[in-house]
């Protein structure tokens, strides 16, 4: 049934989003669905767009809609440059011009959210059944409609049959009268009045002999009556009256033929009506035929489109999906800044001023993520908290930020130690891989973190004197790289670590010396993938950054694969010149990195300018440090995605 009755069709067009409300209305008799205007985004110039509205929901006034948009602009809810009505005889056209560089989809979602361009529409099946109002579903409504049409067609056919039989009776009277037209004329002329003529005609055509006067003398004459064999029932007064009202011109041969033709047609209709009343199938065929004629006469192309997805506007739909640099200080202040704020510089530059911090505070964490990503925040005690990037306050590069305690409910004594950005928390065959300061590792299915509560959950059990250091997302079949503060590193197969629950402690990843500890972790694929031009497609260089602002790149293949739990091999030759290792990350020839000092100085460099060297090298200078300053953190900036033809500016950010 729903193949033919898809849903309501409104004269103003537009979209119906979601079929569940329509299905509910058709099933129970009452439902609600969302209607949305038809709008498209057009490019006016290279960096300016416009939203073109061509169809609006049913019963929405166009002038009121434009007025509402103007109010939103005055109240600074949305930012546009102009709104105007360009409708004409060819159709509706409302143009909303956007400001230069404005995200068109975000403004469109805001219009859906705050104006009548989107709204709910209630639907109810209500009909009078047996004199009472009744709410019903589509199947029941159609059944009542069919029953009603059967009753209407049956009564209409009975009425038409009765009228046809009456007409047939009159035409039979005409027929017998025309067969004996001379006697009929004599009877009418010889009768005293109309009533006498009616009586004489009835007696004559029922076989009785009647006496009529003839001529001017009024001499009486007898006419022997007849009983016509073609009559279906005895001649009566109705037929006699019809004959008396018959005009003389109907006595012509042409008129006689017309009467006989009409009689044949009436008898055909009588046969048809009797067949309809005698067969339920034929009666229903009449209903079907009439509905098809209505469809042919009044049917047209559907105007309102029905789309499967729901049209609920969430807060996320009102926020542009863009890359953000998220920074966190040692004291727990957090903010996000558009990554485009930081221009690229050559290595060895002086950088630019980043987050403003107090003397006793410094930037401790920095990573790049999309505004629509989830952030899993892991604390030193191994607990996990859930947050959206857009929930973090957006500030300028020099802004201080907002305390994490105001964003997530950390427990007493907890400090944030690691973060993980995830797009889909319920993705299958994905794992969260943990590394602790003392060298323990553990992996847990990602789906175990899909229902994180605001109060947090236990992600990994931490022993006394240990704490969480690094977290990565893996597919369960990769190579794990661990690096220590003293410049050691180990590389082992992830399959050596079995999946564990959130409450497990984990197993040994590396056996660290006394006084040494883990500073970072990287995940690499087992097999390198090559691009079409033969270049490395995956990031397979370890960039190690030391506290005095030095860094070096080393191919991961220079670190032999070992079993987990070993002491590892040399990663960086640490000296007083370069200092201890503070961070490691996985890069390729196209990667860009942001490096942050404890004083809040930030520099953005191309890693290709960092010389590739062996495991025991000290590295080259990345950032000139002020006296007393130390490197705090470093993070890789995602490159711009290219299209299928390879177009795109690689090495820059996704905007």
């Amino acid at each position: 049934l729903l193949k033919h009755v898809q849903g309501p069709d409104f004269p103003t067009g537009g979209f119906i989003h979601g079929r569940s409300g329509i299905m509910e209305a058709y099933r129970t008799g009452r439902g609600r669905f969302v209607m949305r205007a038809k709008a498209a985004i057009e490019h006016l110039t290279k960096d300016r767009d416009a939203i073109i509205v061509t169809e609006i929901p049913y019963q929405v006034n166009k002038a009121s809609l434009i007025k509402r948009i103007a109010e939103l602009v005055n109240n600074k809810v949305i930012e546009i440059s102009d709104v105007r009505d360009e409708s004409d005889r060819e159709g509706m056209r409302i143009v909303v011009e956007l400001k230069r560089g404005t995200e068109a989809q975000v403004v469109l979602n805001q219009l859906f959210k705050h104006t009548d361009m989107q709204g709910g529409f209630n639907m109810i099946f209500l009909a009078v059944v047996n004199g009472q109002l009744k709410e019903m579903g589509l199947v029941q409504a159609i059944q009542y409609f069919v029953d009603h049409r059967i009753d209407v067609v049956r009564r209409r056919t009975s009425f038409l049959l009765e009228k046809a039989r009456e007409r047939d009776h009159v035409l039979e009277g005409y027929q017998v009268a025309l067969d004996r037209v001379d006697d009929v004329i004599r009877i009418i002329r010889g009768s005293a009045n109309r009533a006498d003529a009616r009586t004489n005609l009835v007696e004559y055509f029922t076989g009785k002999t009647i006496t009529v006067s003839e001529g001017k003398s009024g001499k009486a004459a007898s006419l022997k009556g007849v009983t016509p064999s073609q009559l279906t029932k005895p001649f009566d007064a109705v037929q006699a009256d019809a004959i008396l009202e018959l005009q003389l011109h109907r006595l012509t041969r042409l008129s006689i033929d017309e009467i006989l033709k009409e009689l044949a047609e009436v008898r055909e209709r009588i046969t048809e009506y009797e067949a309809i009343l005698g067969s339920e199938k034929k009666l229903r065929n009449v209903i079907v035929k009439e509905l098809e004629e209505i469809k042919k006469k009044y049917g047209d192309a559907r105007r309102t489109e029905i789309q499967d997805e729901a049209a609920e506007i969430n807060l996320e739909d009102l926020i542009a999906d863009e890359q953000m640099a998220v920074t966190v200080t040692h004291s727990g202040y957090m903010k996000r800044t558009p990554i485009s704020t930081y221009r690229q510089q050559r290595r060895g530059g002086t950088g630019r001023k980043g987050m403003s911090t107090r003397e006793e505070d410094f930037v401790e964490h920095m990573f790049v993520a999309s505004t629509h990503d989830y952030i899993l925040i892991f604390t030193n005690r191994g607990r996990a908290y859930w947050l959206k990037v857009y929930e973090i306050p957006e500030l300028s590069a020099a802004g201080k930020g907002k305390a994490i305690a105001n964003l997530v409910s950390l427990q007493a004594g907890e400090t944030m130690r690691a973060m993980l950005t995830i797009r889909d928390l319920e993705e299958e065959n994905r794992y969260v891989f943990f590394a602790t300061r003392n060298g323990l590792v553990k992996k847990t299915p990602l789906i175990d973190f899909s229902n994180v509560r605001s109060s947090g959950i236990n992600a990994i059990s931490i022993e006394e004197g240990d704490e969480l250091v690094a977290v990565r997302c893996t597919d369960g079949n990769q190579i794990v790289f661990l690096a220590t503060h003293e410049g050691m590193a180990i590389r082992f197969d992830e399959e050596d670590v079995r999946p564990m629950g959130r409450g497990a402690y984990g197993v040994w990843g590396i056996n660290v010396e006394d006084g040494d500890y883990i500073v970072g972790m990287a995940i690499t694929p087992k097999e390198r993938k090559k691009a079409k031009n033969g270049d490395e497609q995956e990031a397979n260089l370890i960039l190690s950054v030391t506290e005095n602002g030095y860094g070096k790149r080393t191919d991961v293949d220079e670190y032999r694969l070992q079993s987990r739990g070993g002491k590892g091999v040399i990663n960086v030759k640490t000296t007083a010149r370069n200092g201890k290792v503070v961070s490691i990350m996985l890069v390729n020839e196209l990667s860009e990195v942001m490096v942050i000092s404890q004083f809040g100085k930030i520099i953005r460099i191309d890693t290709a300018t960092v010389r590739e060297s062996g495991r025991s090298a000290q590295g080259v200078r990345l950032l000139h440090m002020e006296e007393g300053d130390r490197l705090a953190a470093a993070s890789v900036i995602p490159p711009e995605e290219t299209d299928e033809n390879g177009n795109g500016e690689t090495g820059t950010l996704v905007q």
Side-chain angles (χ1 to χ4, degrees), residues 59-351:
Q59 294 182 336
V60 172
N61 183 272
K62 180 179 62 175
S64 299
L65 175 61
I66 295 175
K67 182 179 179 181
R68 174 57 180 163
I69 295 174
E71 291 175 354
L72 293 175
V73 175
N74 294 333
N75 296 332
K76 300 187 182 303
V77 177
I78 61 174
E79 293 185 1
I80 62 174
S81 61
D82 187 27
V83 56
R84 59 182 180 273
D85 184 8
E86 295 184 355
S87 305
D88 53 23
R89 294 182 179 180
E90 296 182 359
M92 177 183 295
R93 181 180 171 88
I94 301 174
V95 180
V96 180
E97 285 192 13
L98 307 181
K99 292 184 177 180
R100 183 173 285 103
T102 302
E103 186 74 28
Q105 188 60 51
V106 171
V107 176
L108 181 57
N109 287 335
Q110 290 173 334
L111 292 175
F112 287 142
K113 182 75 172 180
H114 299 294
T115 72
D116 289 336
M117 284 179 60
Q118 175 174 308
F121 201 95
N122 293 312
M123 179 178 176
I124 182 172
F125 276 102
L126 196 64
V128 178
V129 180
N130 298 326
Q132 293 182 343
L133 283 174
K134 185 174 182 180
E135 192 175 302
M136 64 194 75
L138 177 62
V139 174
Q140 194 176 13
I142 291 178
Q143 185 60 56
Y144 278 121
F145 173 76
V146 172
D147 292 343
H148 172 69
R149 290 302 302 166
I150 289 175
D151 183 54
V152 168
V153 172
R154 181 178 282 118
R155 289 194 297 173
R156 182 188 66 193
T157 305
S158 298
F159 174 80
L160 294 175
L161 176 61
E162 183 63 25
K163 289 296 182 180
R165 285 173 175 172
E166 291 176 359
R167 183 61 178 169
D168 176 74
H169 188 57
V170 170
L171 292 174
E172 282 184 345
Y174 287 165
Q175 184 181 24
V176 299
L178 294 175
D179 288 343
R180 292 171 174 78
V181 63
D182 294 336
D183 289 346
V184 170
I185 293 174
R186 290 176 62 190
I187 292 171
I188 294 173
R189 291 181 62 188
S191 299
N193 50 47
R194 180 185 178 94
D196 187 37
R198 181 193 307 115
T199 301
N200 290 336
L201 287 173
V202 172
E203 291 180 350
Y204 175 77
F205 284 110
T206 54
K208 296 180 181 180
T209 301
I210 61 174
T211 301
V212 296
S213 59
E214 292 184 341
K216 295 180 179 180
S217 62
K219 182 179 179 180
S222 298
L223 289 177
K224 184 178 181 180
V226 297
T227 304
S229 58
Q230 61 266 46
L231 292 177
T232 56
K233 61 181 181 179
F235 194 89
D236 57 17
V238 174
Q239 292 171 309
D241 282 333
I243 292 172
L244 291 174
E245 293 175 357
L246 193 66
Q247 296 176 340
L248 291 177
H249 74 83
R250 300 297 299 274
L251 300 179
T252 64
R253 173 51 53 187
L254 180 61
S255 296
I256 293 174
D257 291 341
E258 290 177 354
I259 291 174
L260 296 177
K261 182 179 179 181
E262 183 183 357
L263 178 61
E265 292 174 353
V266 169
R267 287 179 173 173
E268 286 182 3
R269 290 203 302 271
I270 291 174
T271 301
E272 180 183 354
Y273 297 151
E274 290 176 342
I276 291 173
L277 294 175
S279 172
E280 184 76 12
K281 181 178 180 181
K282 289 184 178 181
L283 189 146
R284 289 179 178 269
N285 287 338
V286 171
I287 297 175
V288 172
K289 183 179 179 181
E290 290 177 353
L291 291 176
E292 288 177 346
E293 290 175 354
I294 292 175
K295 177 183 176 181
K296 183 179 180 180
K297 183 177 181 180
Y298 299 105
D300 56 1
R302 185 177 182 86
R303 299 185 183 185
T304 304
E305 296 182 33
I306 301 177
Q307 298 183 345
D308 291 329
E309 70 275 10
E312 181 180 357
I313 300 296
N314 300 316
L315 176 61
E316 187 170 313
D317 298 324
L318 307 179
I319 298 172
D321 190 353
E322 59 180 329
Q323 295 290 315
M324 292 284 172
V326 180
T327 53
V328 185
T329 71
H330 181 71
S331 297
Y333 285 89
M334 193 174 190
K335 71 161 187 175
R336 61 184 171 99
T337 305
I339 200 65
S340 56
T341 302
Y342 305 100
R343 60 183 175 85
Q344 181 176 326
Q345 300 180 28
R346 300 171 62 92
R347 74 170 180 87
T350 59

Side-chain angles (χ1 to χ4, degrees), residues 479-483 487-492 524 528 540-544 552-562 568-573 581 584-586 613-617:
I479 302 299
V480 179
F481 182 93
L482 298 177
M488 299 298 292
I490 191 172
R491 187 167 172 252
F492 59 88
T524 62
R528 296 194 181 188
N540 286 286
L541 295 170
I542 297 295
L543 175 62
S544 301
K552 75 176 184 70
R553 295 186 305 161
T554 305
D555 195 302
V556 292
D557 287 342
E558 292 201 20
Y559 304 87
R560 61 184 176 85
L561 202 61
Q562 298 178 292
V569 296
I570 294 176
N571 174 35
V572 178
K573 185 177 180 181
V581 180
I584 63 106
M585 64 209 75
L586 198 62
S613 56
R615 291 189 293 107
S616 60

